[in-house]
Amino acid sequence: MKTIYSAIQPSGIMTLGNYIGAVNNWNNMQADKDNKCIFALADLHTITVRQNPQDFFNNSLSFYALLMAVGLDVNKSIVYFQSHVRQHSELAWLLNCYTYVGEMNRMTQFKDKSAKHVDNINMGLMDYPVLMAADILLYGADLVPVGYDQLQHIEITRDIALRVNNIYGDVFKVPEGFIPKVGAKIMSLQDPESKMSKSDPNPNGVISCLDAPEVIMKKFKRAVTDSDTRIAYDPENKAGISNLLRILAVAEGKSVEQVEAECQGLRYGDLKVRVGESVVEMLRPFRSEYDRLIADKAYLLKCAKDGAEKASAIAEVTLNKFKSAIGFVPRQG
Ligand code: TYM
C-alpha cells in the first residue's frame, strides 16, 4: 500500500495547468486500489497572499466542489481543508526549528512571489515550504504528485525529514515527488515561455476548468505560436506549438509523438481548433457536475468534515511521535 498526498490552493480559478500537471494524476492514482490517497485544499497557504474574505470563502467551497467534479471520490480518497486539521500548523512550527533561513531564502517561489508582492513579504510567504513539508510528512506520504514548479518544495521536504531522522531516528517517511511524463509544466497560451498561472494578468493565456466551450475555443484560436509553418515538438525553438501538442496529447490520451505525427501537414489554425475541441470535450463533464455539487453546500461541508476527521486521526499519530522524540512532556488525559 502506497500513501499518496497532494494539495492545491483554493485561490482564483482551477487552471488547465493544475488539471493536467497535477489533478489528472490524482485521479489516476485514486483508481489504483493499492494506493491510499489524501488530498487537501491548501487554504493556509493561500493566505500568504492577501485575500478578500468573501472571495476566499467562496473560492474555497468552489474548489472543494471542483475537485469532486473533476474526479476525486470522497469514498475512495480523503479530501479535506488544511485549515480544518490543526496538526498542520503545529508541525510547521516544530519543523521551523529544523529549517534554516538560508534554505528558505533560496526558494525560487519565495523569490518570485517576493518580487510580485513587494508590499507584503510576510513571514508566511517565506515559511510556505515548511508548511508544505508539514502537510506531506504528517501523512507519511510515499509519493507526492505535483507539477514541475513544486519539485523544489518536495526536495526541501526531503531534506528536512532526513535532518530530523538523523537527529531522532526514524520519525518521518521520506517522500518522493511524482511528475507526469507529459504536462508537468503547461505554459501560458499568450506567452509560451512562462507557466500557465491563475495569477496571469492576461486571461487569454489561461484556461479555467470551468470556462465555457466557446471561451475555450476563442482562447486556443488566439494562442501565440511562431512565424514558421511546421508542426513539430521542439520546446526550445517552438514553445507555443510544443505546448499545444502537450495539451493535445493529454486531452486525447495519446503520446506527444503520436499527436505530433497525426498533426503533420495541418495548418497552425487547424491545430489550434483541434486542440480547442479536444480540451472542450475533456472538460465538458466537469462543468455540469460542478454546477450540481456547488448547489448543495450542506453536502460539501459534510464531505469536508468527514475528510478532516479522517485526516486528523492520521496526523495526530505522526505529530505525537515527533513531539515525543523531541522530548516534550505529553499532555495527560
Ligand atoms: P498550486 O495550487 O499552485 O497548484 C496545484 C498543482 O498544480 C500544479 N500546476 C501546474 N502543473 C503544470 N503546469 C502548470 N502550468 C501548473 N500550474 C500549477 C502545481 O505544480 C501543483 O501540483 N504549494 C502547492 C500546494 C500544496 C502542496 C502541499 C502540494 C500545499 N501543500 C503538499 C503538494 C504537497 C501549490 O501552491 O500548488
Side-chain angles (χ1 to χ4, degrees):
M1 196 84 172
K2 276 204 157 62
T3 300
I4 313 296
Y5 186 91
S6 201
I8 184 167
Q9 288 196 57
S11 59
I13 53 170
M14 190 187 286
T15 71
L16 184 65
N18 292 139
Y19 181 72
I20 292 181
V23 183
N24 186 31
N25 253 336
W26 303 0
N27 284 334
N28 295 336
M29 290 173 149
Q30 174 185 257
D32 184 338
K33 284 202 178 57
D34 288 334
N35 290 336
K36 175 170 150 192
C37 295
I38 306 169
F39 301 113
L41 270 313
D43 51 357
L44 295 173
H45 280 102
T46 303
I47 64 161
T48 53
V49 174
R50 202 71 73 228
Q51 303 291 321
N52 168 289
Q54 195 57 50
D55 292 345
F56 181 43
F57 181 90
N58 292 338
N59 276 337
S60 297
L61 271 184
S62 164
F63 263 76
Y64 197 94
L66 248 171
L67 284 183
M68 290 172 79
V70 305
L72 295 191
D73 178 348
V74 292
N75 295 311
K76 291 186 185 152
S77 299
I78 298 177
V79 186
Y80 72 101
F81 286 102
Q82 183 190 32
S83 65
H84 290 179
V85 179
R86 295 206 169 88
Q87 289 84 352
H88 290 255
S89 306
E90 188 171 349
L91 181 58
W93 171 257
L94 300 180
L95 295 179
N96 273 334
C97 303
Y98 300 84
T99 307
Y100 301 111
V101 172
E103 290 176 308
M104 295 297 102
N105 256 328
R106 284 195 294 273
M107 292 282 116
T108 311
Q109 185 176 294
F110 174 62
K111 287 194 272 186
D112 289 352
K113 287 205 175 161
S114 307
K116 242 193 225 161
H117 304 279
V118 270
D119 53 342
N120 185 19
I121 307 178
N122 58 65
M123 285 301 294
L125 203 56
M126 190 175 190
D127 204 26
Y128 184 112
V130 179
L131 178 60
M132 198 166 145
D135 301 342
I136 297 168
L137 298 178
L138 275 176
Y139 300 93
D142 295 283
L143 284 184
V144 186
V146 286
Y148 182 79
D149 65 335
Q150 295 299 321
L151 278 185
Q152 194 182 38
H153 292 153
I154 294 170
E155 273 311 305
I156 199 76
T157 300
R158 290 170 56 86
D159 291 348
I160 297 170
L162 286 167
R163 187 172 302 151
V164 168
N165 288 352
N166 274 334
I167 305 172
Y168 300 108
D170 197 15
V171 175
F172 294 123
K173 167 86 66 66
V174 181
E176 272 177 44
F178 180 93
I179 59 169
K181 244 197 236 135
V182 183
K185 193 172 185 186
I186 296 296
M187 311 310 266
S188 158
L189 300 184
Q190 286 296 309
D191 174 12
E193 303 290 338
S194 53
K195 192 186 73 165
M196 183 183 285
S197 153
K198 53 182 96 179
S199 56
D200 191 330
N202 184 347
N204 288 325
V206 189
I207 303 281
S208 157
C209 289
L210 292 177
D211 273 344
E214 59 279 12
V215 174
I216 297 175
M217 290 307 296
K218 201 171 73 191
K219 289 180 180 175
F220 275 107
K221 283 182 185 163
R222 287 186 185 166
V224 169
T225 48
D226 53 54
S227 53
D228 191 19
T229 53
R230 200 172 40 94
I231 292 181
Y233 186 70
D234 178 358
E236 224 155 82
N237 301 307
K238 298 173 78 68
I241 293 291
S242 302
N243 193 39
L244 290 176
L245 289 173
R246 264 186 232 118
I247 294 172
L248 184 62
V250 175
E252 295 191 357
K254 296 173 179 164
S255 68
V256 169
E257 293 74 23
Q258 199 177 346
V259 292
E260 183 189 25
E262 286 178 12
C263 293
Q264 288 312 303
L266 285 189
R267 284 183 307 208
Y268 280 5
D270 300 330
L271 172 69
K272 292 180 188 178
V273 169
R274 171 154 170 192
V275 182
E277 285 172 349
S278 295
V279 169
V280 165
E281 285 320 308
M282 177 172 74
L283 301 181
R284 191 186 294 284
F286 301 164
R287 232 181 117 84
S288 51
E289 188 58 7
Y290 171 80
D291 288 342
R292 194 181 69 78
L293 287 161
I294 199 67
D296 192 351
K297 303 239 166 23
Y299 174 67
L300 293 175
L301 290 171
K302 162 85 172 62
C303 293
K305 177 170 182 266
D306 291 348
E309 270 163 19
K310 290 182 202 153
S312 303
I314 304 170
E316 183 67 4
V317 174
T318 314
L319 183 66
N320 285 337
K321 183 176 173 193
F322 186 31
K323 286 175 81 173
S324 140
I326 297 172
F328 283 107
V329 174
R331 175 175 152 176
Q332 301 300 302

